[in-house]
Amino acid sequence: MTEPVDGVVITVNLSSCKTSFYDNSCLLDKNDHSFIKHKSYIVYHRAEILKITQLENMTIRQLEQVTDDVFSRIVGGLLKSRQTPNKVKKFFVDYINP
């Protein structure tokens, strides 16, 4: 989700809205990114601060970047969601967007 700061990044996951129980802090649809096929949401309770070295050992599918507008919505949701871990919010506020 973020550019590296001191060798770490914030990551978030995306999931489909298959049930009525999901975090609506940032909803995305097929018009927001080519990967998204139907209504989806950012899973803020799984947001993490990871070292770049950890990412190097994971299987990650690289996709095109989201637009600035969509990125702003994702960041806004990260700060708004009550499900975002406090340490992730604090890291974002202190280091990414001081």
Side-chain angles (χ1 to χ4, degrees):
M1 180 177 147
T2 61
E3 292 293 321
V5 173
D6 295 331
V8 298
V9 294
I10 294 174
T11 63
V12 295
N13 294 310
L14 177 75
S15 185
S16 299
C17 297
K18 294 180 181 175
T19 69
S20 59
F21 301 104
Y22 55 84
D23 184 348
N24 66 358
S25 298
C26 181
L27 298 177
L28 300 172
D29 212 330
K30 60 185 175 187
N31 297 326
D32 291 314
H33 193 275
S34 62
F35 176 75
I36 300 170
K37 303 302 178 202
H38 38 74
K39 188 176 175 182
S40 300
Y41 69 104
I42 302 295
V43 187
Y44 290 110
H45 77 272
R46 295 192 65 202
E48 294 182 278
I49 302 166
L50 296 176
K51 294 179 182 177
I52 295 298
T53 55
Q54 290 174 279
L55 290 176
E56 292 169 352
N57 296 324
M58 300 171 118
T59 303
I60 299 172
R61 186 173 10 166
Q62 184 95 17
L63 302 171
E64 70 269 9
Q65 291 184 331
V66 297
T67 64
D68 290 343
D69 175 61
V70 171
F71 184 74
S72 293
R73 289 170 40 211
I74 294 170
V75 167
L78 179 93
L79 298 173
K80 177 177 123 180
S81 177
R82 292 195 280 164
Q83 295 185 19
T84 304
N86 288 332
K87 67 181 180 181
V88 173
K89 284 184 184 181
K90 181 171 176 23
F91 181 82
F92 184 84
V93 170
D94 290 350
Y95 298 102
I96 306 295
N97 194 27

